[in-house]
Amino acid sequence: MSGSGPATVAALGLILIPAMVKNGYDKAFAAANVSVTSGLAIVIPPSIAFIVYGGIADASVPALFAAGILPGLLVAGFLMLTVYLISKKRGYRGLPRQESTWLVFKDAIWGVMTPVIILGGIYGGIFTPTEEAAVAIFYGLFVGTFIYKTFNSWDKLLHVLFESVKATAVIMFVVTCAGLFAWVASTVGLVERGAAVLLALSG
């Protein structure tokens, strides 16, 4: 839901990798698993990369989001199959089931509603992607403060804001470098030469 690969690794890696290692998974396998699957954040909506590309190329962001759903789910399915086969071969069993699926889903319903609100608002024409980002932030603050009571102190809230600033800085640095590279490549004619080479290979 972060829309960013690095942000997803940073957020989920701190939780999932230690938990997997604690329950018998190989540390390298756990790290690789989280790293690879976090790449889905830039394919499955809401993707920051799609929003940035849409703004640069003047393309429809909702159309890009729609185009990313099926490939993202397809990649996710193959990743799930790969992880399942490796885990079965190595004997990874994870945690024993202690709660019913319904109870877990019931407890997580407020978090599950986040993608529904984000994608529903965009596809329904209620919000633009930029407005939806603001709505998602306020919804997350509301759920974290009043429902799950995660933000029960100013220190935790400031920590979340600080991590958000760091993740945003990384993304904007990449975008800046990409824009600079595109300008240099266009100025020196690298794009045209590269296109000519590819066309020559295809011919």
Side-chain angles (χ1 to χ4, degrees):
M1 290 310 302
S2 68
S4 165
T8 303
V9 173
L12 298 182
L14 294 175
I15 301 172
L16 297 180
I17 295 177
M20 293 175 70
V21 173
K22 181 180 178 181
N23 288 278
Y25 289 83
D26 180 68
K27 183 181 291 186
F29 174 77
N33 191 6
V34 173
S35 300
V36 172
T37 53
S38 294
L40 292 173
I42 63 173
V43 180
I44 298 178
S47 167
I48 295 175
F50 283 168
I51 296 174
V52 173
Y53 175 81
I56 295 175
D58 196 24
S60 171
V61 174
L64 292 173
F65 280 1
I69 293 177
L70 185 58
L73 293 177
L74 185 63
V75 173
F78 280 111
L79 289 174
M80 290 170 63
L81 178 62
T82 302
V83 170
Y84 171 76
L85 293 176
I86 294 176
S87 298
K88 187 174 182 180
K89 181 179 180 180
R90 298 184 180 181
Y92 301 146
R93 298 184 178 276
L95 285 172
R97 179 173 294 181
Q98 299 175 344
E99 296 181 278
S100 68
T101 304
W102 168 247
L103 290 177
V104 174
F105 178 78
K106 184 179 179 181
D107 184 57
I109 186 65
W110 288 94
V112 173
M113 285 299 295
T114 305
V116 175
I117 293 174
I118 292 176
L119 299 180
I122 293 175
Y123 292 132
I126 303 174
F127 310 108
T128 66
T130 303
E131 293 170 344
E132 186 55 51
V135 172
I137 290 173
F138 282 108
Y139 178 77
L141 288 174
F142 171 79
V143 172
T145 303
F146 299 105
I147 305 299
Y148 295 130
K149 302 186 185 305
T150 305
F151 304 138
N152 52 13
S153 68
W154 282 106
D155 289 340
K156 291 185 177 181
L157 181 58
L158 290 175
H159 175 72
V160 170
L161 293 176
F162 178 70
E163 291 298 323
S164 300
V165 170
K166 287 201 303 183
T168 303
V170 171
I171 295 166
M172 295 311 298
F173 179 76
V174 172
V175 171
T176 302
C177 291
L180 180 62
F181 175 78
W183 177 79
V184 172
S186 177
T187 302
V188 302
L190 184 61
V191 175
E192 291 77 6
R193 294 177 184 176
V197 171
L198 292 177
L199 290 174
L201 291 175
S202 64

